Amino acid sequence: MKRIIISVFIIFFSCNLIYSQSLNDYFLIAAENNSSLKASYKEYEAAIQRITQAKSLPDPQIGFGFYLSPNGSPFFQENLRISLSQTLPWFGTLKAEGDAYALEADALFQNFINERNQLYFEVSKKYYQLVKIKQLIDIEKSNLSLLNSYKSITKVKFENNEGTLVDILRVEMLIDEANLNIKLFNEEIEPVASTFNQLLNRDFNEEVIIDEKELKNEYDAQFDIENHPQIQSLSLLIEAEKQKSRAVKLSGMPQFSVGLDYEILQGQNNMLMPMVNFSIPIFRKKYQGAIRQSELMQESFAYQKENFKNVVEAELKNLLFNINKQDDLLKLYDNQEQKSKTSLNLLYSGYSNDGEKFEEVLRMQQQLLNYQTKKVEASVELSTLIAELEYLLSKNSNYEEN
């Protein structure tokens, strides 16, 4: 059995020293603090406690008896019986029951691992969303700076009768749009950061420090869906039902108890009598029903496992298609961005010389902005898809379980 031990104090202390946190750091904080994940782990710990209970013998029984005189007066010192007995299930019954509970506990641990991996994916998704907002703000600020420089030039040209008032108005319209976009992006940070902090179970207003280098563009194409925690969990539940069936068969065997009777007799030697009792399970329907129930549960878990594998395989194909699609789009937008920059420089040089075609300069500038925006969106979408792929393949475990 494995348990995750993480020191949040150390994480925050190191944060304050270097003022940076990686995505992996946030994974650790989420794994330590998330309430739903804690509940899942407590359920696993509770299941472990059933193992010892199942493997324990029934409590021994002790009894006292005394004889009554014909007139009804008790004589404890004259005729007293003390009995002690211990019931023993058939050989191997307790071990089979304990093994069944152990396998169920292991299945719950795999559910915990799956929930932890899903939490990592949700943290990654929100983290990448914050990266996207930051990058879009940077792009808009760069765009705004360029537009302000265009505005200064158009004013000079207008004052020198080399440009038109329309050119000034056009650039002012784009400046207003850029300012609004920056405002909206800044306002979007708060709700996204709040959701991110909620996943980490910390104050909603806690600052989220991001690193744009955390974006991913590569993934491991080798995978085996049999390693998915949900599939592992279902396999363990099948084995647990087999052990339950074995335990039921063994409990249908005779049970026996051993004990001693000690009698204190008036005027005679005290007696010590060893006792052996057997219980013969004549009524078999309850055992047959329990065995059949276990067999049906095995079939149910097998069908669930088969269905889950089919769903995961379909999702993997869809994910791989979308990953390749975003990768191709990213390359396209990067290429288009470079061409747009070259075209913009050429158009701007022409406008600087003759004061004409300023509308084309603005159109190309907006086209460049569009490609830059799409490039950021494709990059973040690619990172999110890779994170989802790692979740499905259970490859987003970022620390060793101790």
Side-chain angles (χ1 to χ4, degrees):
M1 304 299 177
K2 302 177 179 180
R3 184 167 184 171
I4 303 166
I5 304 175
I6 306 165
S7 175
V8 180
F9 174 77
I10 294 177
I11 293 174
F12 278 108
F13 182 73
S14 61
C15 261
N16 292 331
L17 286 178
I18 61 176
Y19 198 67
S20 65
Q21 284 179 300
S22 67
L23 183 55
N24 186 63
D25 291 331
Y26 286 122
F27 286 159
L28 297 178
I29 297 172
E32 175 68 15
N33 292 346
N34 185 270
S35 299
S36 177
L37 196 60
K38 284 182 178 180
S40 179
Y41 193 78
K42 289 301 178 183
E43 184 179 3
Y44 158 67
E45 287 187 316
I48 293 176
Q49 303 307 313
R50 295 187 298 177
I51 301 173
T52 304
Q53 299 174 44
K55 290 186 175 182
S56 300
L57 287 170
D59 293 332
Q61 294 182 333
I62 187 169
F64 297 90
F66 56 90
Y67 295 100
L68 301 178
S69 66
N71 61 10
S73 301
F75 295 90
F76 294 93
Q77 74 281 7
E78 295 179 350
N79 294 294
L80 179 66
R81 172 181 293 180
I82 303 173
S83 61
L84 177 66
S85 64
Q86 173 67 61
T87 301
L88 301 173
W90 192 259
F91 305 102
T93 302
L94 296 180
K95 182 179 184 303
E97 291 177 352
D99 290 345
Y101 282 123
L103 288 165
E104 287 184 339
D106 287 341
L108 285 174
F109 183 78
Q110 291 300 320
N111 290 340
F112 162 77
I113 293 296
N114 181 65
E115 187 172 343
R116 184 202 63 183
N117 291 346
Q118 188 173 17
L119 175 63
Y120 286 176
F121 169 60
E122 294 297 328
V123 170
S124 298
K125 187 162 62 173
K126 291 301 176 184
Y127 185 90
Y128 294 145
Q129 192 173 348
L130 289 170
V131 171
K132 181 178 75 172
I133 295 172
K134 181 181 182 301
Q135 290 185 343
L136 291 178
I137 290 174
D138 291 341
I139 290 173
E140 285 291 352
K141 285 182 176 179
S142 177
N143 175 54
L144 181 61
S145 177
L146 190 59
L147 290 174
N148 282 324
S149 67
Y150 287 169
K151 181 178 178 181
S152 299
I153 294 173
T154 54
K155 283 185 176 181
V156 171
K157 285 189 174 292
F158 176 71
E159 291 170 356
N160 295 330
N161 294 321
E162 295 178 0
T164 65
L165 181 60
V166 173
D167 292 340
I168 299 175
L169 295 175
R170 281 173 177 161
V171 74
E172 285 180 345
M173 291 167 62
L174 294 177
I175 288 173
D176 292 341
E177 185 177 338
N179 281 320
L180 178 60
N181 287 337
I182 293 172
K183 176 178 178 293
L184 293 176
F185 285 141
N186 279 313
E187 291 176 352
E188 187 180 357
I189 291 175
E190 182 178 353
V192 177
S194 295
T195 304
F196 181 86
N197 284 323
Q198 179 266 324
L199 292 171
L200 274 59
N201 193 26
R202 63 181 192 177
D203 191 277
F204 287 178
N205 297 319
E206 187 86 21
E207 182 182 5
V208 180
I209 304 169
I210 60 175
D211 184 357
E212 298 176 39
K213 295 179 182 179
E214 295 283 356
L215 291 177
K216 300 179 179 181
N217 54 18
E218 296 180 353
Y219 64 94
D220 185 1
Q222 302 297 321
F223 56 85
D224 182 5
I225 61 174
E226 292 292 338
N227 293 328
H228 194 285
Q230 285 294 92
I231 293 178
Q232 293 288 322
S233 175
L234 291 168
S235 297
L236 288 166
L237 288 175
I238 292 173
E239 293 302 316
E241 289 299 328
K242 290 180 181 178
Q243 288 299 320
K244 285 184 179 180
S245 178
R246 180 170 176 269
V248 170
K249 291 177 182 178
L250 291 172
S251 65
M253 303 294 288
Q255 295 187 17
F256 57 94
S257 63
V258 295
L260 292 172
D261 273 7
Y262 183 71
E263 291 188 11
I264 301 174
L265 304 175
Q266 181 182 17
Q268 302 179 40
N269 294 329
N270 296 336
M271 295 180 60
L272 181 65
M273 182 185 300
M275 302 289 293
V276 179
N277 294 317
F278 288 90
S279 65
I280 302 175
I282 298 176
F283 306 104
R284 308 295 302 174
K285 286 187 177 181
K286 64 178 181 178
Y287 301 108
Q288 294 169 355
I291 292 172
R292 182 55 181 159
Q293 176 186 352
S294 180
E295 291 172 348
L296 291 172
M297 288 304 300
Q298 291 178 49
E299 293 177 15
S300 173
F301 291 136
Y303 284 131
Q304 290 180 49
K305 180 179 176 180
E306 180 183 1
N307 178 68
F308 187 81
K309 289 171 67 174
N310 292 336
V311 170
V312 169
E313 287 177 354
E315 289 182 1
L316 283 174
K317 290 181 179 180
N318 186 57
L319 269 175
L320 291 173
F321 165 75
N322 285 322
I323 286 173
N324 292 329
K325 174 184 175 181
Q326 293 301 321
D327 188 49
D328 289 340
L329 287 174
L330 187 58
K331 293 175 182 176
L332 172 67
Y333 296 145
D334 184 63
N335 184 51
Q336 297 294 70
E337 179 187 9
Q338 300 306 317
K339 290 181 178 179
S340 296
K341 286 181 177 179
T342 302
S343 299
L344 180 61
N345 290 333
L346 292 173
L347 287 170
Y348 183 71
S349 297
Y351 173 73
S352 299
N353 293 329
D354 54 28
E356 296 180 356
K357 296 184 179 179
F358 183 67
E359 182 179 353
E360 291 297 322
V361 173
L362 292 181
R363 184 180 292 113
M364 185 55 65
Q365 167 61 22
Q366 292 306 294
Q367 191 171 0
L368 172 61
L369 175 64
N370 181 53
Y371 286 132
Q372 289 174 329
T373 301
K374 287 184 176 180
K375 180 181 175 181
V376 168
E377 291 173 346
S379 178
V380 170
E381 180 65 16
L382 177 61
S383 296
T384 304
L385 290 169
I386 291 175
E388 186 175 0
L389 178 67
E390 291 177 342
Y391 157 62
L392 280 181
L393 302 179
S394 192
K395 291 185 176 182
N396 57 354
S397 299
N398 289 273
Y399 58 92
E400 293 294 328
E401 298 144 11
N402 298 308

